[in-house]
Amino acid sequence: MFESITQNLTDALGNFTRGKLSEGNIRDGMAQVRKALLEADVNYDVAKSFCDNVTKQAVGDQVLKSLKPGEQIVGIVYNELVNLMGPVDHSIAIRRGEMAIIMMCGLQGAGKTTTCGKLATMLKEQGATPMLVAADLQRPAAIEQLRVIGEQVGVPVYWEEAGSSTPVKVCQNAQKAAKKEGCNVLILDTAGRLHIDDSLMKELVQIDNKLMPHQALLVCDAMTGQDAVNSAKAFNEALELDGVILTKLDGDTRGGAALSVKAVTGVPIKYIGVGEQLDKLEPFHPERMAQRILGQGDVATLLETAQRVLDAEEMEDQQQKMLEGKFTLDDFLKAMSQIQRMGSMKSLMKLIPGMGQMAQAMEAMDGMDPDKDVKRVKAMISSMTVEERRHPDRIDRSRRNRIAIGSGTDPAEVNDLLKQFKGMSGMMQQMAGMNMGDRMKAVRELQSEAMNPNSRGVSQGKQRSKRGDLTKDALREKKKKERQRQKKARKRKK
Amino acid sequence: MALFSKLKSALKKTKDLLRTDVRDLFKSGEILDEAKLEEFHRGLITTDMGVEASEEVVESLREEFGGRTVDPDAVWENVKNTLKEILKGDGSTNWDPENPLSPLNMATEGPTVILVSGVNGVGKTTSIAKLANYLTKSGKKVVLAAGDTFRAAAVDQLTKWSQRIGCEIVRKDPGTDPASVAFAGCDHAVQIGADVVLVDTAGRLQTQQNLMQELEKIRRVINKRIEGAPHESLLVLDATTGQNGISQASKFSDAAGCTGIVLAKLDGTAKGGVVVAIRKKMGIPVKYVGVGEQLDDLQLFSPDDFVEALLEES
């Protein structure tokens, strides 16, 4: 997400960090920033006032006379971005003994029903007992959709036949049913409506008046253009929104809506939807989003995901094995499945500072899909016998051919995997022996080399011709790191 | 025309938004200075037509009228013509108001296959229902292929529409390979001698490579059953979509070979201006517009009316 806005902003801001800064070229640069924002669907007035603000702060003497004016300006942009999108409040107040009612509303196709399911999943994880209410009697089969989702999530769904009821009635009856069942959160899935459709907006206000929801949340498609502000404004006027949930942020949308909605309506963004699966709802963090927009990665989210998904014991076990040099292909497979649970390789790479551009570069080069490669590697390892996994050295030509056939790959690929694994396990031992600082340094070195197109390591064309479709990121980098280390070791010997 | 009055009323809000800005701007006798152009630029940006297209329009105004006294009529002519030219493109698409099916590329023999795709929640299924209704009313025998086997209850949604319209539907269990549904739909159409097959697909973000490959496969499989098919590949675009529409158009074209756009949800305050940018960059024409939730709220696109309704003065 946000790639393009990041790209353009990075270009524009890059000019600041090079060469001498003057008031003139700051203004030129900010014109570029404004264009980038507009192309990202940021509201015209928001973009303008954003740039004016930054310019005002940037042309001050203090900035220009400071040691690194360019970095100062990037800092100002970061702060302004955070101010624009924040502050937020993720809490959905659930008081003991009281039922919290959450009303979801939005335009057609924003993703309300799916988001209801995601929200229910999240609340359930947090220990609440939610109930979903099918108050969308408009769209054919909307009730069925919510019922299916309720089943997937394991949450009760209250519904009535569309022909014989009204949304207000459904909600009221649902409230009673929820009390009976002992649910403490009621999530109302209302029908999608246009903010200029008076009768439907009135209906929404009616539900609002009758049920007095604790939270009225607007579900907003992140791909929306300049109109996002209009609809958010209208919904806010009708309902006094408590928050916005931004959906479909997993696409390549530039997400300008995220920047504008808060700025124009004052309604904070609470959550973001980042995938079709029902657990793909994240709290919105303006700081992290600003970092992502500026291409500085988002390690915080990565760590959070890791903590949530990875099995701590297993990780420790693997680390121990690495230290002892007993890391087998089997462990490798396990580690890979764990990492995959966190999301696609591509989405993970984007969270690591500096790696976002690499993920993009790989995408640009056709066929470089790290996720596909992970799949292939998994297939290859799965085609090996237990013995082979433990002792990869015993894999000879005939075994190699069998593995290739079994996994639908090429013998050469199997060979590459084995070579890489061998290099990797050696390197892992070394890494495991290092302290944290050295490790970070090694990673940083790796990164700067990776981003340098002239470096020998990632001349991708060459790599590809040598070994075709194989694990590109993890394995290649580790292999490269190992090479560096060997080189250093050699030097030391001399 | 009744058709267009509806479109116009749908676009009225748009027009009002733009007009209030713009009418204040171009007063006869005043000098067209940078401040006015800037303000006009803002108006164009709000239509979502993108920085490039709006700069082109502003630039042509600047060249022609910059620094001179304003003749509102001439300025309007210039703006409209620039936009119309972009929307009409190379002139290969025909929008004949007498024949609502004119922009569709129909098969010379056997059933015409129309593949419909788009991102999640743009209104694909509803647009298909409207299109089916349109075609049925024009005397065509229509078969729907419920290819959205992913989203919960999508097949039910389309089935309900088919019952309302009174056309046939080919469906399979949820989770079935959508390509096989498409194939079965084409197969059924050939057998019963239907005129048109409308193939629904699940919504997908254009960045999901595996799903885009699935779309490619659907297209290939359709072609296997009926040669030359799909004859039309329509991308449904939400009028509220911003510049991301360009990415949608380009990536869906790569996978599904889009031949036209259905611009849905034009009845809100959104202007759908991104189709200008798409036409400019990729040459994909808009063929129909959706202006409401009812079955007959689908209309033939008209570049002239679209621009007129967008910028009309009175």
Side-chain angles (χ1 to χ4, degrees):
Chain A
M1 82 173 95
F2 288 109
E3 276 99 28
S4 328
I5 186 169
T6 305
Q7 189 65 55
N8 292 340
L9 271 181
T10 323
D11 287 354
L13 292 174
N15 294 337
F16 287 142
T17 43
R18 282 187 290 274
K20 226 178 156 192
L21 277 179
S22 67
E23 223 179 292
N25 60 24
I26 287 179
R27 285 189 198 283
D28 287 350
M30 287 317 288
Q32 257 179 297
V33 170
R34 195 183 75 152
K35 195 174 166 195
L37 292 173
L38 287 180
E39 271 172 1
D41 293 324
V42 174
N43 175 276
Y44 191 92
D45 299 329
V46 175
K48 194 161 184 280
S49 71
F50 178 88
C51 291
D52 289 349
N53 272 346
V54 175
T55 314
K56 219 190 284 163
Q57 294 174 45
V59 294
D61 270 356
Q62 268 187 328
V63 172
L64 289 181
K65 281 184 187 155
S66 65
L67 274 173
K68 290 178 175 170
E71 282 180 20
Q72 289 254 351
I73 293 178
V74 176
I76 297 171
V77 171
Y78 169 81
N79 282 336
E80 280 296 311
L81 280 174
V82 174
N83 287 342
L84 207 56
M85 295 185 284
V88 293
D89 166 24
H90 302 129
S91 63
I92 287 182
I94 302 170
R95 285 199 207 110
R96 200 164 284 188
E98 204 180 298
M99 194 188 316
I101 301 178
I102 304 171
M103 177 163 72
M104 311 284 269
C105 60
L107 301 176
Q108 292 97 335
K112 279 177 302 304
T113 308
T114 310
T115 307
C116 281
K118 289 180 181 177
L119 200 60
T121 312
M122 196 175 71
L123 290 169
K124 207 179 155 203
E125 239 176 55
Q126 293 169 3
T129 47
M131 176 186 254
L132 292 164
V133 183
D136 180 357
L137 309 180
Q138 291 265 322
R139 184 162 56 97
I143 300 175
E144 279 89 337
Q145 190 186 349
L146 195 69
R147 283 171 61 194
V148 172
I149 286 175
E151 213 166 283
Q152 284 169 358
V153 184
V155 163
V157 177
Y158 183 84
W159 62 282
E160 290 177 17
E161 282 300 332
S164 58
S165 190
T166 67
V168 182
K169 258 197 240 164
V170 172
C171 293
Q172 286 176 322
N173 292 341
Q175 201 175 3
K176 287 173 206 153
K179 261 183 202 150
K180 228 181 260 169
E181 287 206 29
C183 297
N184 62 1
V185 186
L186 205 59
I187 303 173
L188 313 178
D189 178 26
T190 65
R193 62 201 75 217
L194 282 169
H195 50 286
I196 50 168
D197 186 329
D198 285 336
S199 59
L200 281 175
M201 286 306 274
K202 259 184 211 146
E203 178 197 282
L204 211 54
V205 174
Q206 249 179 358
I207 300 178
D208 192 38
N209 288 339
K210 285 264 155 58
L211 280 122
M212 308 288 266
H214 300 80
Q215 297 263 324
L217 301 179
L218 175 72
V219 180
C220 177
D221 185 333
M223 293 184 286
T224 317
Q226 300 280 336
D227 195 47
V229 170
N230 295 338
S231 50
K233 254 197 231 163
F235 275 100
N236 192 32
E237 271 160 29
L239 296 174
E240 288 184 30
L241 298 170
D242 295 286
V244 174
I245 300 182
L246 218 52
T247 59
K248 304 181 202 172
L249 264 171
D250 47 331
D252 59 355
T253 171
R254 309 176 198 186
L259 299 174
S260 326
V261 167
K262 167 72 179 37
V264 172
T265 62
V267 181
I269 298 162
K270 284 201 178 237
Y271 301 102
I272 52 176
V274 290
E276 278 189 274
Q277 290 81 22
L278 289 168
D279 61 343
K280 298 279 186 194
L281 190 71
E282 290 175 4
F284 177 74
H285 296 283
E287 301 83 18
R288 298 182 193 176
M289 195 61 89
Q291 280 167 9
R292 275 195 217 181
I293 291 176
L294 293 177
Q296 295 169 340
D298 180 2
V299 179
T301 301
L302 185 67
L303 284 179
E304 251 172 40
T305 321
Q307 268 168 1
R308 194 162 50 95
V309 180
L310 297 186
D311 186 337
E313 249 172 64
E314 201 156 287
M315 292 287 282
E316 221 163 88
D317 190 41
Q318 279 171 3
Q319 199 159 12
Q320 191 57 37
K321 277 186 181 159
M322 274 182 215
L323 258 178
E324 293 165 8
K326 282 184 194 159
F327 195 70
T328 66
L329 275 165
D330 238 346
D331 300 317
F332 182 53
L333 191 64
K334 260 191 229 156
M336 241 176 352
S337 320
Q338 280 219 336
I339 290 170
Q340 268 196 316
R341 248 184 276 157
M342 288 170 43
S344 72
M345 287 307 268
K346 253 186 280 171
S347 66
L348 291 181
M349 280 172 77
K350 280 173 201 159
L351 297 177
I352 302 172
M355 294 287 272
Q357 277 164 308
M358 220 161 102
Q360 237 178 313
M362 285 172 66
E363 205 167 336
M365 303 187 58
D366 208 27
M368 296 275 281
D369 183 357
D371 294 301
K372 219 167 154 188
D373 297 329
V374 170
K375 240 184 183 169
R376 291 178 86 86
V377 170
K378 277 175 104 174
M380 281 189 265
I381 299 180
S382 306
S383 297
M384 295 176 192
T385 65
V386 178
E387 198 199 334
E388 284 164 354
R389 289 183 209 181
R390 276 192 201 138
H391 309 281
D393 293 343
R394 295 190 194 159
I395 297 176
D396 55 15
R397 185 197 256 181
S398 104
R399 281 174 188 263
R400 195 167 66 219
N401 287 343
R402 193 204 76 242
I403 293 165
I405 291 166
S407 57
T409 53
D410 200 68
E413 273 182 68
V414 180
N415 224 4
D416 284 330
L417 169 68
L418 293 175
K419 263 194 227 158
Q420 282 171 336
F421 178 74
K422 206 173 154 198
M424 199 181 77
S425 43
M427 182 214 54
M428 273 180 172
Q429 247 172 299
Q430 273 176 328
M431 281 271 269
M434 277 193 255
N435 63 29
M436 203 55 200
D438 282 343
R439 257 190 246 181
M440 289 303 284
K441 209 172 141 204
V443 171
R444 259 200 304 276
E445 267 169 25
L446 183 81
Q447 227 180 63
S448 64
E449 183 161 326
M451 289 317 292
N452 177 2
N454 300 325
S455 84
R456 176 180 46 99
V458 265
S459 59
Q460 277 150 329
K462 215 170 161 192
Q463 291 275 357
R464 282 181 69 198
S465 65
K466 239 184 349 189
R467 54 165 126 111
D469 268 328
L470 247 184
T471 27
K472 300 289 173 351
D473 39 1
L475 290 183
R476 181 201 309 136
E477 277 150 31
K478 280 165 183 168
K479 193 177 167 193
K480 198 169 55 206
K481 212 183 285 175
E482 192 233 358
R483 251 190 259 130
Q484 281 182 338
R485 214 144 288 289
Q486 282 177 347
K487 218 168 149 190
K488 268 191 196 160
R490 256 181 270 137
K491 267 189 195 160
R492 251 183 254 136
K493 270 183 198 165
K494 278 176 198 168
Chain B
M1 276 212 63
L3 273 181
F4 297 126
S5 64
K6 204 161 188 181
L7 172 65
K8 273 183 190 166
S9 74
L11 280 172
K12 197 165 172 291
K13 293 253 174 188
T14 307
K15 202 172 60 189
D16 287 344
L17 272 176
L18 233 139
R19 199 180 52 202
T20 42
D21 286 343
V22 166
R23 217 179 5 185
D24 293 344
L25 265 177
F26 301 141
K27 275 184 199 137
S28 142
E30 280 185 8
I31 288 175
L32 188 69
D33 54 12
E34 278 306 309
K36 287 204 167 61
L37 286 173
E38 169 79 26
E39 193 52 32
F40 184 60
H41 184 219
R42 175 182 180 279
L44 292 177
I45 288 285
T46 10
T47 69
D48 280 326
M49 72 172 66
V51 177
E52 204 177 299
S54 41
E55 268 176 6
E56 184 182 314
V57 173
V58 171
E59 196 47 49
S60 88
L61 282 189
R62 183 179 286 133
E63 249 168 49
E64 197 113 332
F65 307 103
R68 296 172 32 196
T69 44
V70 176
D71 173 4
D73 292 337
V75 170
W76 277 117
E77 264 325 288
N78 180 299
V79 173
K80 283 180 193 166
N81 284 340
T82 313
L83 290 174
K84 280 180 197 170
E85 237 166 71
I86 295 175
L87 283 170
K88 281 180 186 164
D90 56 3
S92 59
T93 313
N94 193 11
W95 299 274
D96 177 5
E98 300 302 318
N99 173 16
L101 302 182
S102 54
L104 293 179
N105 175 23
M106 302 296 265
T108 43
E109 216 178 303
T112 303
V113 184
I114 303 178
L115 177 65
V116 182
S117 56
V119 300
N120 316 59
V122 288
K124 276 178 304 304
T125 310
T126 312
S127 295
I128 285 181
K130 289 176 182 171
L131 208 54
N133 186 46
Y134 214 53
L135 290 159
T136 312
K137 277 192 177 160
S138 315
K140 304 280 181 198
K141 196 169 181 184
V142 178
V143 171
L144 301 179
D148 184 356
T149 50
F150 178 79
R151 190 183 52 136
V155 175
D156 296 332
Q157 190 182 346
L158 197 64
T159 310
K160 283 187 181 165
W161 281 121
S162 76
Q163 285 158 357
R164 267 187 232 177
I165 300 161
C167 61
E168 295 214 28
I169 182 164
V170 174
R171 48 183 290 177
K172 290 192 176 183
D173 290 335
T176 318
D177 183 353
S180 89
V181 183
F183 187 90
C186 296
D187 201 47
H188 185 68
V190 172
Q191 276 169 15
I192 66 166
D195 300 305
V196 182
V197 189
L198 286 167
V199 181
D200 190 12
T201 59
R204 61 203 75 216
L205 291 181
Q206 69 275 21
T207 46
Q208 294 162 326
Q209 263 184 5
N210 50 341
L211 291 180
M212 294 313 275
Q213 279 166 3
E214 180 190 272
L215 194 61
E216 249 181 279
K217 181 181 170 192
I218 295 174
R219 186 172 160 220
R220 274 200 313 271
V221 167
I222 290 173
N223 190 262
K224 235 177 220 173
R225 184 63 189 86
I226 297 174
E227 210 177 311
H231 307 86
E232 276 288 343
S233 173
L234 297 178
L235 173 71
V236 182
L237 201 70
D238 187 331
T240 59
T241 308
Q243 300 311 298
N244 189 252
I246 298 170
S247 155
Q248 289 174 25
S250 103
K251 291 194 175 139
F252 272 96
S253 282
D254 288 347
C258 298
T259 54
I261 288 171
V262 177
L263 189 60
K265 304 191 203 170
L266 207 54
D267 45 339
T269 48
K271 296 107 208 163
V274 70
V275 295
V276 176
I278 292 173
R279 181 66 158 160
K280 208 166 126 53
K281 284 204 169 125
M282 269 153 294
I284 306 172
V286 182
K287 296 201 165 168
Y288 295 95
V289 293
V291 290
E293 286 196 305
Q294 301 313 311
L295 264 184
D296 53 359
D297 288 335
L298 185 79
Q299 289 171 10
L300 186 69
F301 178 73
S302 151
D304 289 348
D305 289 36
F306 187 78
V307 174
E308 291 292 329
L310 208 72
L311 301 168
E312 205 175 27
E313 236 189 324
S314 55

